[in-house]
Amino acid sequence: MKKIILLYCLLSTLWLSAQVEQSYYLSDNHPYNPDIPTPQSVLGYEVGEWHVSHDRLVQYMTALAQASDRITLENRGYTFERRPLLLLTITSPENHQRIDEIKAQHQQLTTPEGSNLAVENMPAVLYQGFSIHGNEPSGANAGLLAAYHLAASEDPETLTLLDEVVVLFDPSFNPDGLQRFAYWANTNRSMNLNPDNNDREYSEVWPGGRTNHYWFDLNRDWLPTQLPESQARIKTYIDWLPNVLTDHHEMGTNSSFFFQPGIPDRVNPLTPDMNQKLTQEIGKFHAAAFDELGSLYYSEEDYDDFFYGKGSTYPDINGSIGILFEQASSRGHLQNSDNGVLTFPFTIRNQLTAAFSTLKAVKTLRVSLLEYMRSFYSNAAAEAAKSKQKALVFGNPKDPAGAYEMARVMDRHGIQLHKIRQSSRINGQEYPEASSYVVPLNQKKSRLIKALFNIQTQFKDSLFYDISAWSFPHAFNQNYSYLNDSKQLGAPLTPLQKPEGTVSQKGSYAYLFEGHSYYAPKALYSLLSKGIRVKVSMFPFTRNGVRYDYGTYMVPVQNQSLDADALYALMQSVAKDNALSVLGVNGGSTEGIDLGSRNFRAVELPKVALLVGDGVRSYDAGEIWHLMDTRYEIPITKIDVRNMDRVDLSSYTHLILPASYGRGLNAFKDKLKTFAQSGGTIIGYGATLSWLSRNELIDLKFKTTSRTAQNIRFDQRNLFRGAEEIGGAIFNTKIDRSHPINFGIHSSYLPVFKNTELFLEPQKNSYDNPILYTSNPLINGYISKENLQTLKNTSFFQSSRLGSGKVIVFTDNTNFRAFWYGTNRLLANALFHATLF
Ligand SMILES: [Zn+2]
């Protein structure tokens, strides 16, 4: 013990005296232009002594760009918290003079006209991005030094590099997260650094700095592009099409340094082999640099290149090479680890080393990288020309807004979309002009289109770092069909037009609109919150030969807080904003239920609370917050777990419990029961289901898959266990469209996303099972045979009365990563229609 204490004292003195100098990162002998400000001269401390906050990072990059003719700085937009999304373009002043020409020529490489370009004379384009997870800060902090070096180095090798490479330098992929984490690490830093892992510095408060403002993992949004950070970044990506993109992360403190290639068996089959070969070639440069530095590293383990929604994989389906870096995290300034004391400067130096080895690799492999990009696109064009399938049509016959949202994502990725030539029935589905899109397949982004629509249910490997399926038509619940000719190709949609709704005429009796628009819940809330009475139909009906679906909304003209003219004006604005087709009517008779029927039921204004805080899955909570706040514009009160005991729940109609981990809820068991018994609705997701059932708020019967290992060796146990996990796949459910939980959904089958191993026995009475997995439910992705067997015919949703209130449960997430538009409606219906079932 004494020895340990002595050693500890020795080491602490060492850390105390170990002031970081710039020479720790960059050689003193290197020729640097003294007119270029060092990070220290602007920040007032050496990189690594404190965690750079985003605003200080902006300050430094601005100073650097002002001082250097090698850098142009642009702001591409703002995060939710209004932080700028900066991009530095770094290259030689000569290249800057003709940057538009370079860009145009680079783009030409991906078109038929590019076949004659002399790539030997063209610069390569490298996109370097840092710290997409805000609490993985060594990347962004290393970026300060990398940018300084590129601006200030007078070394001949750097000068050649700047001639031969255009660097798109993204100093902080996630400004809001970086700021949140820097605040945490700096606030808790002791002046005498303390490596004790138990120190508060190394355990962030919920939700931590990994995510962006609404608690999204930005490194899953490269394909969905639902968040402003991704939208700005993808725009740069599409404008430039970089040859290589690097993505600097951190991993567990006891690890070392990882660079790609990842696990060879788990590369997405749509990625060409040559991509992985070049990744390996680039990897040799990292290995050499780390050998020289003496830092431990590894590759071809742990991480994979399967899901194109990650920064290191998205480039792989776009003719580029995506590279993932993972550095063991000091998650603060200094921590004990299996590899000794891990200092923040050490993690920064490794990231800087990888940034430099990337530059060297891109400079050296420039011609091969440019040629690879050209061949990627010419091969893709040749494949598309040979293919029998010439186009794709997708759409939702009743929901122009939902179809538009999917089209918008494709448009962001540079995919050309067209109108349908005329409303048609194709393979049994209706494709009206107003809500259908045609995608020609012989276009530049043909492989990316394939990746968005691809179905894969057979896999070489049964482990996934992330989800195994993401097909867009299922996520957005759109009908789609491949076409063998281009006859349906209508006018090109550049730019895309947001659909707008209308009111047919001023109604003297009522206004009617079906519930199918994606934005119907927003419209509903907007009307109810203005005190307008709205009713909903429990049955379909027909009026003047037109059929109105279950869940049609009716706004009576009489006895409203607005007079007939003001109501008409309001209906017009609500219809326009939410892509609704509203019918103004002058009488109440229909074939079927008349408008005065008791089967038009009142819709009540919900007042919604959401449980957040320790123990709650922040992603799931953030998705709900984001959905309500940014899409439906429904106010939602975030109640922290630690304040639950003093909040009066009786002022809320609904309490949403996102997937949460047990114990935190125990303290409020009685409170939740009382809330429901006195008329409140509890909505539970995922991991809260077993808690709700155990505590008798709802009676649920779970099915389980049990499998015992046979002939599985010790070193295979993780593969065995992992194969039983559902990392994220897409399954089909059959829905009862007459049930209010399904109002507004146009189809009888609803694809759902599943990433839990929760399987619910259906209820006894068929009418209590409005959403059931089909008997052949797998649409896309990986699930073990045993789990698939168990999943068949189980429930996705259940509800049960508790006193005068209700408990509603969903086994899986209806709001996954903000791009599962197709099932968002279920949550909205639980808010507006819970009293109807
Ligand atoms: Zn990360």
Side-chain angles (χ1 to χ4, degrees):
M1 189 65 187
K2 255 187 199 162
K3 261 190 202 159
I4 295 174
I5 292 170
L6 185 70
L7 181 72
Y8 189 84
C9 292
L10 272 173
L11 286 172
S12 12
T13 327
L14 191 73
W15 302 320
L16 280 175
S17 62
Q19 271 234 304
V20 198
E21 302 284 343
Q22 184 166 297
S23 59
Y24 177 71
Y25 307 108
L26 301 171
S27 164
D28 269 346
N29 303 323
H30 194 92
Y32 285 116
N33 175 354
D35 296 336
I36 302 296
T38 62
Q40 199 276 340
S41 71
V42 174
L43 301 174
Y45 59 83
E46 194 47 71
V47 170
E49 285 179 357
W50 294 89
H51 282 252
V52 74
S53 60
H54 188 260
D55 38 23
R56 302 303 305 280
L57 181 145
V58 171
Q59 184 191 5
Y60 179 64
M61 294 304 173
T62 307
L64 198 61
Q66 268 165 8
S68 171
D69 58 359
R70 300 174 185 173
I71 299 181
T72 55
L73 180 69
E74 63 182 298
N75 176 18
R76 299 168 294 169
Y78 291 95
T79 66
F80 283 114
E81 294 174 17
R82 291 298 289 178
R83 292 196 172 82
L85 293 161
L86 296 187
L87 181 79
L88 287 76
T89 303
I90 311 178
T91 192
S92 67
E94 295 70 34
N95 283 343
H96 272 300
Q97 296 287 318
R98 51 177 203 102
I99 197 83
D100 291 337
E101 186 194 322
I102 293 175
K103 193 197 278 184
Q105 203 178 46
H106 188 79
Q107 284 283 359
Q108 213 181 34
L109 201 60
T110 62
T111 65
E113 296 79 61
S115 58
N116 299 321
L117 284 174
V119 287
E120 306 75 41
N121 306 324
M122 292 169 61
V125 181
L126 165 65
Y127 194 121
Q128 292 186 294
F130 301 91
S131 300
I132 199 161
H133 296 137
N135 64 0
E136 301 175 3
S138 53
N141 283 270
L144 300 166
L145 294 157
Y148 165 72
H149 175 86
L150 289 171
S153 169
E154 301 286 5
D155 179 57
E157 206 169 312
T158 313
L159 298 180
T160 327
L161 180 121
L162 290 166
D163 275 335
E164 297 181 359
V165 182
V166 174
V167 184
L168 305 170
F169 196 91
D170 197 328
S172 168
F173 271 150
N174 176 7
D176 295 348
L178 187 77
Q179 184 83 12
R180 204 183 309 143
F181 184 71
Y183 150 78
W184 179 261
N186 291 336
T187 307
N188 289 288
R189 179 195 194 269
S190 299
M191 295 308 141
N192 300 296
L193 300 183
N194 179 357
D196 187 340
N197 315 80
N198 294 323
D199 192 274
R200 185 170 194 255
E201 181 177 345
Y202 311 114
S203 113
E204 281 174 275
V205 284
W206 195 95
R210 176 182 174 88
T211 49
N212 79 342
H213 176 75
Y214 286 100
W215 312 333
F216 283 96
D217 185 336
L218 288 175
N219 197 34
R220 304 293 182 270
D221 192 45
W222 289 73
L223 271 194
T225 58
Q226 294 302 310
L227 305 164
E229 296 88 345
S230 318
Q231 288 163 15
R233 195 190 322 120
I234 292 298
K235 186 166 184 314
T236 307
Y237 190 96
I238 298 305
D239 279 358
W240 266 108
L241 284 177
N243 298 95
V244 173
L245 182 142
T246 53
D247 187 19
H248 291 255
H249 288 249
E250 289 184 5
M251 56 184 160
T253 304
N254 290 322
S255 205
S256 62
F257 190 91
F258 168 87
F259 53 81
Q260 276 179 329
I263 298 167
D265 277 358
R266 294 187 210 158
V267 177
N268 194 301
L270 299 178
T271 296
D273 290 343
M274 192 59 194
N275 168 290
Q276 292 295 304
K277 285 195 187 116
L278 283 164
T279 306
Q280 248 161 12
E281 283 303 307
I282 295 170
K284 288 178 189 164
F285 287 81
H286 308 316
F290 278 79
D291 284 341
E292 198 184 320
L293 191 64
S295 284
L296 294 176
Y297 64 87
Y298 70 102
S299 65
E300 299 190 307
E301 285 181 74
D302 293 350
Y303 301 95
D304 68 32
D305 249 338
F306 188 78
F307 173 41
Y308 291 119
K310 293 185 300 165
S312 49
T313 312
Y314 177 77
D316 300 343
I317 196 68
N318 284 287
S320 320
I321 314 288
I323 309 269
L324 172 68
F325 295 125
E326 293 275 356
Q327 162 64 47
S329 183
S330 60
R331 206 76 71 203
H333 292 87
L334 183 81
Q335 253 196 94
N336 291 323
S337 83
D338 287 355
N339 295 312
V341 174
L342 180 64
T343 70
F344 185 40
F346 176 81
T347 66
I348 294 171
R349 193 176 62 174
N350 280 347
Q351 298 275 21
L352 185 64
T353 302
F356 286 161
S357 52
T358 304
L359 287 160
K360 192 170 176 185
V362 171
K363 176 179 171 285
T364 314
L365 302 173
R366 179 178 59 91
V367 173
S368 316
L369 290 164
L370 289 164
E371 269 168 358
Y372 168 67
M373 178 165 269
R374 173 157 64 188
S375 67
F376 178 95
Y377 283 96
S378 62
N379 292 344
E383 270 164 33
K386 262 197 292 182
S387 169
K388 246 175 66 185
Q389 297 165 334
K390 298 299 175 203
L392 255 167
V393 60
F394 73 88
N396 176 323
K398 297 261 189 164
D399 178 15
Y404 165 74
E405 292 295 345
M406 175 163 149
R408 198 144 76 119
V409 177
M410 299 178 73
D411 183 57
R412 279 190 202 116
H413 289 292
I415 294 168
Q416 178 66 53
L417 294 122
H418 291 248
K419 281 186 155 180
I420 192 165
R421 188 174 291 269
Q422 61 183 56
S423 299
S424 305
R425 193 174 170 81
I426 300 166
N427 294 339
Q429 308 281 7
E430 295 298 333
Y431 290 96
E433 266 178 62
S435 59
S436 304
Y437 295 85
V438 179
V439 189
L441 295 177
N442 58 347
Q443 61 171 300
K444 182 167 154 181
K445 293 285 176 166
S446 57
R447 284 182 172 168
L448 182 64
I449 297 167
K450 206 178 267 177
L452 298 180
F453 285 79
N454 195 44
I455 303 286
Q456 189 182 353
T457 52
Q458 303 291 326
F459 296 87
K460 267 199 262 175
D461 203 312
S462 47
L463 292 192
F464 295 88
Y465 184 76
D466 200 75
I467 57 177
S468 61
W470 52 85
S471 38
F472 274 35
H474 302 116
F476 287 83
N477 193 23
Q478 300 291 308
N479 297 328
Y480 74 109
S481 218
Y482 285 92
L483 307 172
N484 291 337
D485 56 56
S486 301
K487 285 185 208 147
Q488 283 297 354
L489 211 63
L493 287 161
T494 27
L496 278 186
Q497 295 288 324
K498 185 174 186 241
E500 287 185 353
T502 51
V503 181
S504 66
Q505 60 165 5
K506 184 177 169 188
S508 64
Y509 192 85
Y511 293 95
L512 291 172
F513 60 95
E514 287 190 304
H516 304 104
S517 169
Y518 178 79
Y519 287 104
K522 180 175 159 226
L524 208 50
Y525 192 87
S526 156
L527 291 168
L528 294 170
S529 64
K530 292 179 180 72
I532 302 299
R533 283 180 299 102
V534 182
K535 298 182 118 184
V536 62
S537 75
M538 299 298 287
F539 291 93
F541 59 92
T542 304
R543 200 184 163 281
N544 294 341
V546 179
R547 185 182 184 274
Y548 288 82
D549 204 357
Y550 291 106
T552 293
Y553 296 103
M554 192 260 295
V555 180
V557 172
Q558 270 199 19
N559 204 22
Q560 294 280 16
S561 55
L562 298 179
D563 66 25
D565 287 333
L567 184 64
Y568 179 43
L570 175 65
M571 289 310 299
Q572 283 176 308
S573 96
V574 168
K576 181 168 182 274
D577 288 354
N578 299 294
L580 303 176
S581 291
V582 179
L583 188 78
V585 299
N586 298 324
S589 307
T590 78
E591 297 152 46
I593 54 171
D594 292 333
L595 303 193
S597 160
R598 271 187 297 175
N599 283 310
F600 274 93
R601 307 276 286 274
V603 183
E604 283 160 33
L605 182 75
K607 186 145 191 273
V608 188
L610 171 71
L611 187 74
V612 302
D614 257 342
V616 177
R617 237 180 98 81
S618 58
Y619 301 127
D620 299 40
E623 287 156 2
I624 294 167
W625 177 25
H626 173 263
L627 174 67
M628 295 298 151
D629 198 23
T630 70
R631 302 233 182 106
Y632 291 160
E633 296 178 20
I634 297 177
I636 187 162
T637 302
K638 307 188 294 300
I639 300 181
D640 199 289
V641 171
R642 76 198 143 84
N643 296 330
M644 262 299 263
D645 55 351
R646 42 191 182 85
V647 172
D648 176 9
L649 287 180
S650 68
S651 55
Y652 303 97
T653 57
H654 293 74
L655 172 65
I656 307 177
L657 307 175
S660 317
Y661 302 100
R663 269 183 317 191
L665 295 170
N666 287 343
F668 328 116
K669 183 176 133 185
D670 295 334
K671 189 161 189 160
L672 295 188
K673 235 178 218 174
T674 310
F675 170 70
Q677 277 163 345
S678 43
T681 299
I682 293 173
I683 302 169
Y685 276 101
T688 57
L689 267 59
S690 48
W691 186 88
L692 288 167
S693 181
R694 226 174 24 250
N695 289 285
E696 298 175 343
L697 279 95
I698 185 169
D699 183 19
L700 302 173
K701 289 187 180 57
F702 295 97
K703 284 174 82 174
T704 51
T705 310
S706 72
R707 213 180 133 209
T708 329
Q710 305 288 341
N711 302 318
I712 304 285
R713 290 192 317 267
F714 179 75
D715 67 353
Q716 296 170 320
R717 69 199 184 288
N718 288 336
L719 294 173
F720 173 78
R721 287 186 202 138
E724 292 305 308
E725 275 170 27
I726 304 173
I730 303 170
F731 300 94
N732 212 3
T733 63
K734 173 98 176 76
I735 67 169
D736 172 355
R737 297 181 65 256
S738 77
H739 194 289
I741 197 69
N742 293 322
F743 281 179
I745 295 170
H746 70 97
S747 48
S748 307
Y749 291 89
L750 178 65
V752 300
F753 175 79
K754 182 169 184 65
N755 64 349
T756 70
E757 291 85 50
L758 282 173
F759 309 104
L760 267 187
E761 292 277 12
Q763 311 246 58
K764 275 197 221 95
N765 295 313
S766 60
Y767 52 75
D768 288 328
N769 295 313
I771 312 175
L772 283 183
Y773 286 97
T774 65
S775 53
N776 183 20
L778 178 61
I779 293 178
N780 197 4
Y782 172 80
I783 184 171
S784 74
K785 265 190 218 141
E786 294 77 11
N787 278 336
L788 183 58
Q789 196 56 36
T790 313
L791 179 65
K792 289 177 180 179
N793 307 311
T794 59
S795 289
F796 179 82
F797 156 94
Q798 273 183 29
S799 86
S800 142
R801 287 188 168 283
L802 186 63
S804 50
K806 187 154 294 169
V807 178
I808 292 174
V809 296
F810 297 103
T811 58
D812 283 272
N813 192 343
T814 55
N815 319 299
F816 187 61
R817 292 181 183 166
F819 87 107
W820 266 85
Y821 280 69
T823 48
N824 286 160
R825 190 49 177 277
L826 301 176
L827 177 58
N829 286 340
L831 299 181
F832 289 109
H833 302 319
T835 52
L836 305 179
F837 53 88

